[in-house]
Amino acid sequence: MSDAEGRQSEARSVEADLLVHDAAELLTVAGVGVVPRLRRALGELGLIRGGAVASRQGRIVAVGETRAVRDAVRLREGGRAIDASGMVVMPGLVDAHTHPVFAGSREAEFVLRLGGLSYTEIALRGGGIVNTVQPTRQASFAELVALTRRRLDTMLLHGTTTAEAKSGYGLTVPDEIKILEVIRALGAEHPVELVPTFLGAHAFPPEYRDRRDEYVDLVVKEMLPEVRARGLAEFCDVAFVPKRAFTERQSERILACARDHGMRARMHVDEFAPDGGGGLAARLGAVSADHCIFTPQNELELMARAGVGATLMPAAAFALRIGRYADARAMVETGLAVALGTDFNASCLCESMPLTISLACLKMGLTPPEALVAATINGAWSLGRAHEVGSLEVGKASDLLVLDCPTHVHIPFHFGVNRVRHVVKRGAVVVRDGRRVDADGAEALGGPDR
Ligand code: ZN
């Protein structure tokens, strides 16, 4: 070995078992340091042309231009190289708001909405959430696991590697626990990492329609202590809809109790009308106020001052034909931490974060870089995972996507189809050439390793 070769192999002393190289665009979403990303920092993708990422045992060990990464790391024998020439590489998407565990179908309500009925009118006629509660109560744990697993597979195929997952279609102690246990079981088994949220205050179950405070008693005195005892949730959410769901007093009572049990607050607010939800989320110190379609500017300012994030789900406004979208542009200018979610649920049957990103640009005024940062590091921040996922930086989890598109602009621009080619979760290839794979073989993907 010559001296020069010796020096080179010494420099390559960092061993990697995965090398993704020669990306047309590598979006690191790194480099600013501060999370959540606010105002102008929301648009900073940390883009490297001809970029590469290397990881070892699920942790990123090098990120940068391909030549520099190749100089810094040595791919171990049997390690995997992915040629990302002509493609975009970016962090796995973080879906910050989903309700994935339910049984039954609400397709009839979809047809009613097409006929001109609003979501609220359908709910007043006995439709809505309670229509999903009955079949979900009847479904066994194993049935719910099977239904939810398929949904998580679809999320993964569309690039989601971390998702928040709410309960809320059980609305009894055993059924809410059953749903959270499904989330726990799938979080342990499935590549999509789940962040559990207890949403016993999703709606009032029919049997409590005329004794609402008694249902709040049940949530506070029985559900929350049981959820805590079993360690089943990190967050507690409340659907703050004063006329149809939970009032200010009830929401405050539930979220205060949740805080005493170590769960941080999220809220559904201002989805169908300006209910004062943004202001209430600010007063209660929620981590995130979600939807915010009708939140007025003065309440957005209160949220920004209180450090409450805004999680926005344009696919829900689209599916429910609300006729209006959250004004994400105003929220960014106000200094709010904007994150994105699908709101996948029984009436918004969409697992796709790429479609969410398209709608965030087309309907809510975000630029492509802003929507991508909101769908990665800001979502990770919202879920308390920013130290682990949401950007490609040395030391973080090797969660990344290889997208079959030439620039990041194509992610929202080329909509309604799936451009996700490969998905890596914790260093393992879990989607290969657009197909879900369990086994993680070691052959090179996408082209020759140069
Ligand atoms: Zn929701």
Side-chain angles (χ1 to χ4, degrees), residues 45 91 96 115-116 135 141 151 162 200 205 214 220 223 274 337 388 435 440:
L45 284 174
F141 174 85
R151 296 164 186 155
T162 303
E214 285 179 45
V220 165
M223 291 185 188
E388 262 303 283
R435 286 170 171 265
D440 189 31

Side-chain angles (χ1 to χ4, degrees), residues 291-295 310-314 317 324-331 360 363-365:
H291 288 297
C292 301
I293 294 173
F294 290 90
T295 308
T311 301
L312 308 179
M313 288 80 70
R324 179 167 160 162
Y325 291 81
D327 188 351
R329 186 78 260 131
M331 293 179 194
K363 294 294 192 180
M364 302 195 319

Side-chain angles (χ1 to χ4, degrees), residues 97-99 164 166 169 199 202 237 239 268 271 290-291 313 316 342-345:
H97 184 133
T98 85
H99 310 241
E164 191 251 16
K166 302 177 197 292
Y169 287 120
L199 179 57
H202 193 193
D237 195 338
H268 283 67
E271 184 179 7
D290 296 27
H291 288 297
M313 288 80 70
T342 56
D343 197 17
F344 177 82
N345 70 67

Side-chain angles (χ1 to χ4, degrees), residues 109 120-131 209:
E109 292 180 16
T120 306
E121 286 165 335
I122 292 167
L124 288 172
R125 293 179 183 202
I129 293 163
V130 297
N131 251 349
R209 194 174 291 138

